[in-house]
Amino acid sequence: MISISDDKVFALTNAEFSYVFRVLDEGLLQHVYYGAPIAHAEELASHFRVDRGATSHFQGVPNLNLNDLPQEYPTFGTSDYRRPALHGVNADGNSVFTLKYVRHTVTIDKPDLDGLPSARGGESETLIIYLADPLHGLEVELFYTIYQNYGVLARSSVVRNSGKAPVDLTHIMSSTIDLPPDDYDVLHLHGTWSREFNAERTKLPMGRFEIDSARSTSSAAHNPFLAVMERGATETSGNVFASTLIYSGNFSLSVETGEFEDVRVLAGINPFNFAWHLAPNEAFYTPEALHVFTPYGLRGMSRIWHRFIQNKVSPERFRNIARPTYLNTWEAAYFDIDEAKVLTLADKAKDVGVQMLVLDDGWFEGRRDDTSSLGDWTADMARFPSGIPALAARVRAKGLKFGLWIEPEMVSPNSQLFEDHPDWALQVPERKPSLGRNQLTLDFTRKEVVDNIYDQIEALLACGDIDYVKWDMNRNMTEAGSTALPKGRQLEVPHRYMLGLYGLLRRLMEAYPDVLFETCASGGNRFDLGMLSFMPQGWISDMSDPIGRLAIINGASYLYPLDVMTAYIGPSPSHQNGRISSIKTRYNAGALCAAKGISLNSLDIDTDVDLLRELMRLAANTSGDFIGGEFTRLISDDTQICWQYITRDRRTIYVAYFHILSAPNLPFRRANLADLDPVAAYELQEDGTIYHGDTLMQHGLALPYVTCGQPQAGVRYMDRGDFASHLFVLRRKR
Ligand code: DGJ
């Protein structure tokens, strides 16, 4: 997979891509190629250096103009005017760094990233390039991991100060990818609460295009994902270069098109509002960036991401384990919850065949609304007189699992924890804090704070009857300063916070490996591979309206497999947008997600009890199908969505079709299924018809007809009216 020539051309190649760079005589790293696999990287030699006759020359070397040179880890101030990978102020007070090759090593597998989450190794090799700027004793290690069976290149870097004076760094990016000039589009996912993951595809402009977060959560505003694609690339064809980060805090993914139209993708911690004081003998590890190349368009890209996330990012413990169906108390009761209601809902859950009761917000000391109590993780004795362990045991005695909501990173000003430790919240001197949902963020840069929260969570989990934890986080950070750090290190707080959080999660996962954790941040405000590397599933959105969720799931599926998404049947009219929809469509919108449940009150459950029984039994009986399989977007436009899912054993195919607004006289539509066995016979479960794979892929599956007129015999119809849906199931015969 990794070949290195005598003249130091490094080629990383597997069946999906080649990535090639080399060391110039001057010791700089020149990027040479990233794209479809090529067997003879040495043949690229004739393209190694092109002299434009420019007037800027790197440190007196004729014909070497860095502004025109594709690079691996560029710095600023020596003839490259684009944004660099590494930048800051050195001991001399200037910002000129020159990183030169020193040596390299190749290791089997992957190095540890010092507390940061990263993709698992296995059938992988890592090339480590050691660079140094001897003038300031700065050393950089670049990690490149290539896998035998995945089209993913994992990159990160470590900066060490082996000099005698501190260095103040402002940019320490995880990776740079310099792509050749072309007409590119860029695809990214933006949104806000209850409207996450809107895909926007736009022409890549000259200059800089950036998505980022300065909120100290990866955030719903821009998910950490960006794809640079050939202008003509479609869902199924064309070159796509996509990037993400295994990180949950302030990130930046930017693309700069320089004057010569070459394109630089930078991935890493957001340099805005960041600085790191690197004292002698200290090291800084960057989060891991993941890059995908595919010539097979967006579908090809998603395939690679999904398989990789399923097998290398999601926690191994839950990899092929079906998720329990659940009833969540939030939209059933909000804060108006008590022990009796939980037990009634548990009975309802049992009756409709749900497997787990999840007690959401509102169960702890004094919590009657969102103005108090975060930080005091003991049961409110007025409403939960038996306490959580006893309640959990009673729910379990009914044959259900028990899940609990917590929001451990937060503290309410109105809480015992805050009264005892006002300095434990993030804050800056002499300024009134800006509250978010009436709460403050705990200072997870401090060990004693993290330890306190660990102890409180442990006191809950120790009873052994809590099967699931919904880990929420409901604000973006402001005044992100720490009373425990000196003035010169305050801009380090957001990243130090992430290290504290990841450390806490690691301890908990190790101590309670069988507890299923779900990440949530007001829905999808921190839905990223950092959190998803600890927790197998995420509360992707608070949007309970199925039509709203279609766009959310569709957008998120560019990067994330549906294995990591939690779906639920919420109330109708939806509490988020007031839309009325059928239970069937509410189920179908999440039918291909791994985790399914309901968030309905007793009355709503009683009203639709028969249908809920049918659907929740279906969800429970098929939950194993939606782990580790292959999801495909077949059709996604303004009027219709059609998704396909092939189970891991490739024997069952689900096709979920949604027709959003009804209209008269529409075309007869078909969906061309994908990646079936062309010679295999598949039986459509609803009527026993046999179709072969080639028919379903080439001719397509006839979609139910949308009509406002009189139904005709022999035609399959959608339910009448808006927001109709249909779930096909096909089973392979032999
Ligand atoms: C935000 C979450 O997204 C909701 O599902 C719910 O858990 C509330 N927080 C509770 O406060």
Side-chain angles (χ1 to χ4, degrees):
M1 285 190 287
I2 298 178
S3 72
I4 303 163
S5 72
D6 291 345
D7 54 351
K8 302 220 172 46
V9 176
F10 298 89
L12 291 79
T13 297
N14 63 17
E16 310 282 345
F17 69 88
S18 286
Y19 188 94
V20 184
F21 61 96
R22 70 156 185 159
V23 182
L24 294 179
D25 294 343
E26 296 74 20
L28 301 176
L29 292 185
Q30 179 193 6
H31 175 77
V32 175
Y33 175 77
Y34 184 29
I38 48 173
H40 300 285
E42 70 284 358
E43 292 174 7
L44 299 169
S46 58
H47 297 284
F48 276 169
R49 187 101 143 235
V50 181
D51 177 12
R52 189 184 290 280
T55 51
S56 295
H57 294 148
F58 167 75
Q59 295 177 351
V61 181
N63 305 334
L64 184 55
N65 174 15
L66 300 192
N67 212 33
D68 194 15
L69 185 82
Q71 291 163 76
E72 287 300 309
Y73 206 70
T75 54
F76 178 79
T78 59
S79 78
D80 187 344
Y81 300 101
R82 295 165 291 176
R83 288 291 194 281
L86 183 123
H87 193 55
V89 180
N90 58 36
D92 293 336
N94 65 63
S95 61
V96 178
F97 295 90
T98 298
L99 295 171
K100 295 200 174 180
Y101 169 88
V102 178
R103 65 189 173 95
H104 66 267
T105 54
V106 173
T107 66
I108 299 300
D109 240 324
K110 294 186 77 208
D112 186 64
L113 297 188
D114 198 35
L116 284 164
S118 57
R120 282 188 296 283
E123 296 171 322
S124 61
E125 284 175 6
T126 301
L127 169 65
I128 307 177
I129 303 283
Y130 297 82
L131 307 170
D133 183 342
L135 195 58
H136 298 294
L138 204 68
E139 295 174 348
V140 173
E141 290 157 39
L142 304 181
F143 298 157
Y144 298 81
T145 301
I146 182 167
Y147 292 80
Q148 224 159 57
N149 297 314
Y150 298 93
V152 173
L153 174 69
R155 286 191 56 182
S156 59
S157 54
V158 188
V159 182
R160 292 178 200 284
N161 187 350
S162 55
K164 295 200 166 36
V167 177
D168 286 295
L169 293 166
T170 54
H171 290 51
I172 321 179
M173 303 310 284
S174 304
S175 65
T176 316
I177 301 217
D178 276 352
L179 300 171
D182 203 340
D183 276 340
Y184 292 113
D185 284 345
V186 62
L187 177 81
H188 64 109
L189 303 168
H190 66 96
T192 183
W193 175 77
S194 270
R195 204 157 47 69
E196 298 89 343
F197 294 107
N198 299 285
E200 182 184 62
R201 179 174 177 168
T202 179
K203 180 181 176 338
L204 186 66
M206 293 297 289
R208 295 186 70 240
F209 174 90
E210 180 177 23
I211 55 162
D212 71 354
S213 170
R215 300 162 191 244
S216 301
T217 68
S218 51
S219 109
H222 295 288
N223 198 260
F225 161 80
L226 180 145
V228 175
M229 47 205 289
E230 275 181 337
R231 175 74 33 83
T234 66
E235 188 68 17
T236 49
S237 70
N239 286 342
V240 179
F241 302 87
S243 307
T244 188
L245 288 153
I246 304 193
Y247 193 58
S248 315
N250 292 334
F251 75 93
S252 164
L253 286 164
S254 68
V255 192
E256 179 163 358
T257 308
E259 64 198 286
F260 305 117
E261 295 184 27
D262 35 22
V263 168
R264 170 169 295 170
V265 180
L266 285 176
I269 291 177
N270 193 352
F272 170 69
N273 202 35
F274 166 85
W276 200 271
H277 184 74
L278 199 66
N281 299 319
E282 283 183 353
F284 183 91
Y285 283 71
T286 66
E288 186 160 62
L290 303 176
H291 301 282
V292 159
F293 164 79
T294 178
Y296 303 116
L298 293 170
R299 183 181 291 176
M301 173 198 74
S302 297
R303 280 284 150 74
I304 296 174
W305 285 130
H306 291 184
R307 225 167 54 79
F308 188 76
I309 293 167
Q310 287 166 338
N311 296 319
K312 295 293 181 192
V313 181
S314 273
E316 194 134 43
R317 167 72 185 80
F318 288 91
R319 188 138 71 103
N320 289 328
I321 298 204
R323 307 296 156 69
T325 56
Y326 66 89
L327 189 158
N328 179 296
T329 60
W330 183 240
E331 292 198 55
Y334 293 105
F335 290 108
D336 188 16
I337 189 78
D338 59 28
E339 205 169 289
K341 269 194 191 157
V342 170
L343 292 170
T344 307
L345 284 168
D347 288 335
K348 303 269 176 205
K350 187 74 192 156
D351 179 43
V352 296
V354 155
Q355 297 164 317
M356 176 164 74
L357 188 286
V358 177
L359 172 52
D360 208 284
D361 199 350
W363 59 266
F364 44 101
E365 193 57 57
R367 182 80 163 175
R368 299 287 191 280
D369 53 31
D370 64 11
T371 60
S372 80
S373 310
L374 296 169
D376 301 341
W377 298 108
T378 50
D380 184 289
M381 281 304 168
R383 289 182 301 160
F384 291 88
S386 321
I388 294 302
L391 178 63
R394 283 176 75 183
V395 169
R396 283 179 127 230
K398 293 177 191 290
L400 294 166
K401 289 175 185 282
F402 180 79
L404 193 65
W405 176 97
I406 48 175
E407 194 178 355
E409 299 160 66
M410 297 291 147
V411 64
S412 305
N414 180 8
S415 67
Q416 193 59 50
L417 188 73
F418 189 71
E419 204 175 308
D420 295 345
H421 302 284
D423 58 319
W424 280 13
L426 292 179
Q427 56 197 273
V428 296
E430 318 263 342
R431 297 211 189 263
K432 210 171 164 190
S434 309
L435 298 179
R437 208 195 187 198
N438 304 307
Q439 62 204 46
L440 296 166
T441 309
L442 283 171
D443 182 356
F444 270 22
T445 71
R446 295 173 69 161
K447 186 175 176 315
E448 63 275 31
V449 179
V450 174
D451 286 348
N452 174 289
I453 295 301
Y454 179 86
D455 291 344
Q456 291 202 57
I457 298 174
E458 178 154 71
L460 290 165
L461 296 185
C463 72
D465 280 333
I466 298 177
D467 301 283
Y468 158 102
V469 169
K470 182 174 170 191
W471 183 291
D472 207 346
M473 197 278 199
N474 286 304
R475 66 160 298 177
N476 297 314
M477 294 176 209
T478 53
E479 293 90 16
S482 170
T483 54
L485 284 170
K487 268 193 227 164
R489 288 191 176 266
Q490 292 296 317
L491 295 190
E492 298 175 11
V493 168
H495 181 63
R496 287 186 184 274
Y497 179 96
M498 292 317 307
L499 295 175
L501 172 62
Y502 290 144
L504 172 63
L505 295 179
R506 191 165 291 113
R507 269 174 85 188
L508 283 167
M509 306 301 142
E510 276 165 19
Y512 298 97
D514 295 332
V515 175
L516 173 65
F517 281 82
E518 167 145 8
T519 177
C520 175
S522 303
N525 200 42
R526 197 171 59 185
F527 199 93
D528 56 61
L529 295 185
M531 295 309 287
L532 291 169
S533 66
F534 290 100
M535 308 194 186
Q537 60 192 54
W539 195 260
I540 186 166
S541 179
D542 277 351
M543 170 51 82
S544 64
D545 164 49
I547 303 305
R549 283 188 88 88
L550 289 181
I552 292 168
I553 295 172
N554 203 72
S557 78
Y558 284 110
L559 173 59
Y560 303 99
L562 275 67
D563 303 52
V564 300
M565 302 182 195
T566 296
Y568 67 98
I569 297 177
S572 173
S574 158
H575 293 179
Q576 287 70 35
N577 66 0
R579 181 173 283 139
I580 294 172
S581 60
S582 67
I583 292 252
K584 183 174 150 192
T585 292
R586 277 178 271 161
Y587 179 85
N588 285 347
L592 310 185
C593 296
K596 300 187 189 67
I598 58 182
S599 192
L600 295 174
N601 63 30
S602 296
L603 201 66
D604 288 342
I605 295 173
D606 291 345
T607 310
D608 288 299
V609 71
D610 292 335
L611 194 48
L612 285 169
R613 263 188 211 128
E614 190 188 310
L615 292 172
M616 285 300 108
R617 296 227 158 98
L618 172 71
N621 292 339
T622 59
S623 55
D625 282 358
F626 298 102
I627 296 282
E630 190 180 271
F631 171 85
T632 307
R633 295 173 299 275
L634 296 178
I635 306 171
S636 39
D637 61 38
D638 289 346
T639 58
Q640 41 174 1
I641 292 267
C642 189
W643 296 325
Q644 170 192 297
Y645 188 91
I646 306 182
T647 55
R648 203 165 68 241
D649 62 6
R650 303 197 82 80
R651 301 205 66 83
T652 307
I653 322 296
Y654 292 89
V655 178
Y657 178 61
F658 304 87
H659 196 277
I660 295 167
L661 292 182
S662 179
N665 268 330
L666 289 170
F668 293 106
R669 287 170 163 142
R670 299 195 291 256
N672 293 84
L673 306 197
D675 298 288
L676 308 186
D677 179 345
V679 296
Y682 296 89
E683 182 180 307
L684 183 61
Q685 296 302 289
E686 61 201 64
D687 61 10
T689 319
I690 303 288
Y691 299 100
H692 283 83
D694 55 355
T695 308
L696 291 166
M697 291 190 290
Q698 306 310 333
H699 168 273
L701 176 68
L703 294 169
Y705 188 56
V706 177
T707 184
C708 302
Q710 284 304 313
Q712 308 293 312
V715 180
R716 182 184 295 120
Y717 289 100
M718 292 299 274
D719 291 340
R720 289 168 73 100
D722 295 337
F723 321 127
S725 63
H726 192 88
L727 185 64
F728 295 92
V729 184
L730 292 134
R731 280 198 222 292
R732 189 181 167 131
K733 291 297 281 178
R734 301 178 285 283

